Amino acid sequence: PFYTAYYDLGNTYRYMTCDPRNWDNSDLIIVWGANPIENQQRMGRHIVEAKANGGKIIDIGLLFDGTAGYADEFVPVKPGSDAALSLCMANHIVSNNLHQPAYLLEHTVAPFLVRDDTNEFMRDGDGNYIVVDKQFGFITATPGVKAIEGATELELEGAFEVFGVPCKTAFTRLKEHLAKYTPEYQETVTGVPAATA
């Protein structure tokens, strides 16, 4: 995740930087699209330490390089197909309830309602975003604000009608989008066997 974060989030240290010493006791490290064993020794030494402590190393990439050779498992992907594999992994996570609802509710827009007609976030007449509270029903929210005023427990999933407009939570929309990214589908795109994904 450290290496892919740069491409997902840009050079934003708030999101992507972590102390690689944290890897030393990791149970699993996925190296995706990088070769730290050969060309990022500062990071590579912590991958070596993690493996020495019993951690499993999986390398996902185009080339069988030094990191792939050191890893417990190498997963070769076709160029430009990484997104299909990552979406398949995301589908597996949400389909098997391996995600953390509390984290999604507190740190993401997952509970925010999305309009079915325009695919935009649902807003009230003042431009405020709308979420659904299990106790109080529809309430307004602001992205990036950790605590939503007046909320007790937000709905993470569901379909609702607001001002006569059908809506679903962003998380529900995400699950629907991910559903097609099965291991079998991603195999046709990435070349990674369905059993591996």
Side-chain angles (χ1 to χ4, degrees):
F2 179 88
Y3 301 104
T4 56
Y6 177 84
Y7 299 104
D8 292 341
L9 303 167
N11 192 11
T12 308
Y13 291 105
R14 174 180 169 206
Y15 297 107
M16 70 171 274
T17 300
C18 65
D19 187 336
R21 291 176 295 183
N22 293 333
W23 304 351
D24 293 355
N25 295 306
S26 296
D27 295 330
L28 173 67
I29 294 178
I30 298 174
V31 179
W32 198 320
N35 184 13
I37 295 298
E38 291 183 318
N39 59 29
Q40 295 168 319
Q41 285 78 28
R42 179 175 162 264
M43 304 300 177
R45 72 180 273 255
H46 296 287
I47 291 171
V48 170
E49 187 69 26
K51 188 171 181 177
N53 290 331
K56 181 177 181 181
I57 312 300
I58 298 174
D59 182 59
I60 301 171
L62 303 175
L63 305 171
F64 191 86
D65 52 27
T67 302
Y70 183 75
D72 296 293
E73 183 177 354
F74 173 58
V75 180
V77 294
K78 293 178 184 174
S81 68
D82 300 60
L85 180 58
S86 63
L87 289 168
C88 172
M89 293 166 74
N91 182 23
H92 177 79
I93 290 168
V94 299
S95 297
N96 293 284
N97 295 316
L98 301 174
H99 58 283
Q100 296 178 345
Y103 181 89
L104 295 174
L105 289 168
E106 188 172 336
H107 298 287
T108 74
V109 295
F112 286 52
L113 294 182
V114 178
R115 299 171 62 116
D116 286 353
D117 58 352
T118 63
N119 298 319
E120 296 175 343
F121 284 114
M122 186 67 195
R123 297 179 188 227
D124 67 10
D126 296 324
N128 299 308
Y129 297 92
I130 299 181
V131 294
V132 180
D133 184 79
K134 290 182 179 179
Q135 183 176 347
F136 298 113
F138 301 118
I139 58 175
T140 59
T142 304
V145 175
K146 208 172 194 181
I148 297 174
E149 191 174 328
T152 56
E153 185 180 358
L154 297 180
E155 294 282 2
L156 183 58
E157 296 187 57
F160 307 90
E161 189 169 309
V162 184
F163 311 127
V165 178
C167 301
K168 294 177 183 162
T169 66
F171 185 70
T172 298
R173 297 284 300 264
L174 174 65
K175 284 183 77 171
E176 290 173 354
H177 176 73
L178 292 175
K180 83 172 195 176
Y181 293 97
T182 62
E184 294 74 23
Y185 172 82
Q186 73 75 37
E187 182 175 7
T188 66
V189 178
T190 67
V192 176
T196 301

